[in-house]
Amino acid sequence: MSFVLGIVLGVLVGVVLIVGFVKSDNARSKRRSELASTIAAFARMTVEDTRKIFTPQQYPPWIVFSNQQKLNWLNSHLEKIWPYVDEAASELVRSSVEPILEQYRPMILASLKFSKFTLGTVAPQFTGVSILEDGSEGITMELEMNWDGNPNIVLDIKTYIGVALPVQVKNIGFTGIFRLIFRPLVDEFPCFGAVCYSLRKKKKLDFTLKVVGGDMTAIPGISDAIEGTIRDAIEDSITWPVRKIIPILPGDYSDLELKPTGVLEVKLVQAKELTNKDLIGKSDPFAELCVRPVRDRMKKSKTINNQLNPVWNEHFEFVVEDPLTQHLVVKIYDDEGLQAAELIGCAHVRLNELEPGKVKDVWLKLVKDLEIQRDQKNRGQVHLELLYCPYGMKNGFTNPFAPDVSMTSLEKVLKSGAEGKEAAPNGGEINRRKDVIVRGVLSVTVISADDLAPTDLMGKADPYVVVTMKKNETKNKTRVVPESLNPVWNQTFDFVVEDGLHDMLIIEVWDHDTFGKDYMGRCILTLTRVLMEGEYKETFELDGAKSGKLNLHLKWAPQPIYRDS
């Protein structure tokens, strides 16, 4: 899509030329401010607006310009010059896209190249523009584009079994938002040093694949593999926060390049009340998580068989490039074995909602589609713990998942020496990755419960609590409080925990009966918060119960060790 952005850039550079010629020699800050205002006003104007006799400063107060206006003027010019754009840009796009397709080429294919590439006769249509105030020393513009194109694109595909397939890409329908960043603003013509462009948001991308003179089903799975390759290439090459930089003036623009800004620690704790996708038995759920939907950045949990309330307690780590716009996406699937997994539901969390250095514990409602929020069906919920750690963050914050956070002084000295190498079979050396195991004593005080649901005919219950550490299944039990829906225990239990980052605390409330027991609900806790804070009191609602809350006090006494893994 760089050819379209080139057109936009050309128009905007023309505007900047005019601005540069008419500006007087005022102070630098004033010129930058006027430049930003001029481009912003220009982007908001339509053809009809320019025909008004008023200048922008003379508009009556009742005329208000929105941040998005139709760009009829740009579309009109683009249609006129589109044949020249097609001829000039086709070879450029072809030469730049082929290496990306090769990078994502499916393993079942020997080669994947273009034999034909033209953009067709239909020009894209720009439908809106926005000027973003991001506080940076530059101008950020977003343009919305629709394209129902008729390009002539043919992929020449060869398989390892000697089959050659010319595959045509047809019926392209695209809607998306492109972002242009003009930065830095300078006094030298044309008033900015470089331009960055990126596909800020891909709203729709539809296309069909057809084998020229053949059947696409001749090789099973080939259509899905090629479609996935095309989508991966777009996602990893131009979709925000990835951006392309076009230098306009000589200079170092490395600060505009895509750089990691921090790490998102995600603990997939559990899910509950998932939709059952199986006719016999229950769903076999697993989760896929990502910040950028690129194949090598996707994370997948283990599958929990025959369970609608799975507990995973799995930890994942993601690189974050832009916490202001990126978000974590979670999709829960039902594993169908050899067949394609069936989506149960999905959810997402915007990273700008997270406070750096502070764990956020969230239950997210699962929906059918993240873009179209019309689904009112209950698909279940997923429980996550999120911790965003910017690089270089100070203020005494320590990331419990960092590889050296729990090391003693002696361990740090040992680590700075030999990294622990062992001989490989071929005579070389193998570097063994080391993990810090957070070991310590967890003190759990079961204080009380409130508003428990009655279990006997008299409207009472005889509740007690069972506290379990999940990994080694160590259990402790409180005394029974007879005939109470608001029992008070104030009992403390100590657990020796070997791996606090990956263990869980399961607390269940039961009703004591002479001839058995009745389940009254539970809460499942990870140890992340107590590891970070050292101690806290909290009230937790009971899952699987009509009502009831549990009041707990948790305290952590660390005893770090260091071991090979």
Side-chain angles (χ1 to χ4, degrees), residues 3-4 7 74-91 117-125 147 150:
F3 53 94
V4 177
I7 298 300
L74 179 56
N75 293 327
S76 176
H77 288 295
L78 187 57
E79 288 177 1
K80 293 178 182 178
I81 65 173
W82 183 251
Y84 305 99
V85 174
D86 177 24
E87 183 178 353
S90 291
E91 183 57 35
F117 193 106
T118 61
L119 300 175
T121 59
V122 179
Q125 293 289 301
W147 187 35
N150 61 345

Side-chain angles (χ1 to χ4, degrees), residues 209-364:
L209 301 175
K210 182 180 184 301
V211 174
V212 180
D215 185 2
M216 197 60 155
T217 61
I219 301 180
I222 192 72
S223 178
D224 291 341
I226 297 173
E227 181 175 336
T229 298
I230 294 173
R231 294 183 186 275
D232 281 345
I234 293 173
E235 190 68 43
D236 202 20
S237 62
I238 195 175
T239 304
W240 183 265
V242 178
R243 73 290 305 264
K244 301 295 184 183
I245 302 172
I246 304 174
I248 303 299
L249 299 174
D252 179 13
Y253 302 111
S254 58
D255 61 316
L256 300 179
E257 295 174 355
L258 178 66
K259 295 184 179 69
T261 60
V263 173
L264 177 67
E265 309 282 358
V266 179
K267 185 166 283 189
L268 173 67
V269 182
Q270 60 180 316
K272 65 180 181 180
E273 301 174 1
L274 297 180
T275 301
N276 191 6
K277 294 291 185 178
D278 292 350
L279 296 177
I280 301 175
K282 299 177 181 177
S283 296
D284 306 314
F286 69 89
E288 284 189 353
L289 304 91
C290 70
V291 171
R292 284 179 57 197
V294 182
R295 252 181 273 185
D296 60 353
R297 293 198 177 197
M298 306 279 287
K299 309 291 185 181
K300 182 180 177 180
S301 76
K302 61 179 178 286
T303 298
I304 308 294
N305 293 324
N306 198 35
Q307 181 61 255
L308 300 182
N309 298 283
V311 177
W312 288 287
N313 193 35
E314 294 188 56
H315 172 254
F316 304 99
E317 185 178 284
F318 299 91
V319 174
V320 176
E321 290 96 353
D322 184 12
L324 295 180
T325 61
Q326 289 183 296
H327 50 266
L328 173 75
V329 175
V330 184
K331 296 184 177 181
I332 310 296
Y333 291 91
D334 175 29
D335 191 346
E336 297 289 348
L338 297 178
Q339 299 180 9
E342 187 174 359
L343 179 68
I344 296 176
C346 53
H348 75 284
V349 179
R350 300 184 187 280
L351 301 191
N352 61 6
E353 298 174 357
L354 305 181
E355 181 180 341
K358 186 175 181 180
V359 175
K360 183 168 184 176
D361 189 290
V362 294
W363 280 94
L364 302 176

Side-chain angles (χ1 to χ4, degrees), residues 33-142:
S33 175
E34 290 176 347
L35 173 62
S37 299
T38 302
I39 294 181
F42 175 79
R44 294 190 183 104
M45 292 172 64
T46 62
V47 172
E48 290 75 19
D49 295 329
T50 59
R51 290 174 180 168
K52 295 180 182 292
I53 60 173
F54 299 108
T55 65
Q57 291 76 21
Q58 295 174 322
Y59 287 137
W62 47 269
I63 294 182
V64 178
F65 290 102
S66 65
N67 264 357
Q68 284 205 314
Q69 298 284 348
K70 289 191 177 296
L71 301 178
N72 296 329
W73 54 273
L74 179 56
N75 293 327
S76 176
H77 288 295
L78 187 57
E79 288 177 1
K80 293 178 182 178
I81 65 173
W82 183 251
Y84 305 99
V85 174
D86 177 24
E87 183 178 353
S90 291
E91 183 57 35
L92 176 62
V93 175
R94 174 178 179 169
S95 61
S96 60
V97 170
E98 267 189 354
I100 301 172
L101 290 177
E102 179 64 23
Q103 177 185 346
Y104 284 97
R105 173 174 51 84
M107 297 296 293
I108 60 175
L109 301 182
S111 66
L112 182 62
K113 295 182 179 181
F114 291 112
S115 60
K116 292 183 181 179
F117 193 106
T118 61
L119 300 175
T121 59
V122 179
Q125 293 289 301
F126 291 96
T127 58
V129 62
S130 297
I131 304 298
L132 306 182
E133 302 294 338
D134 57 4
S136 65
E137 283 290 317
I139 298 166
T140 301
M141 176 183 296
E142 290 191 345

Side-chain angles (χ1 to χ4, degrees), residues 143-158:
L143 289 158
E144 183 168 350
M145 187 192 84
N146 295 334
W147 187 35
D148 291 317
N150 61 345
N152 186 8
I153 301 174
V154 178
L155 289 165
D156 192 10
I157 296 172
K158 293 182 180 179

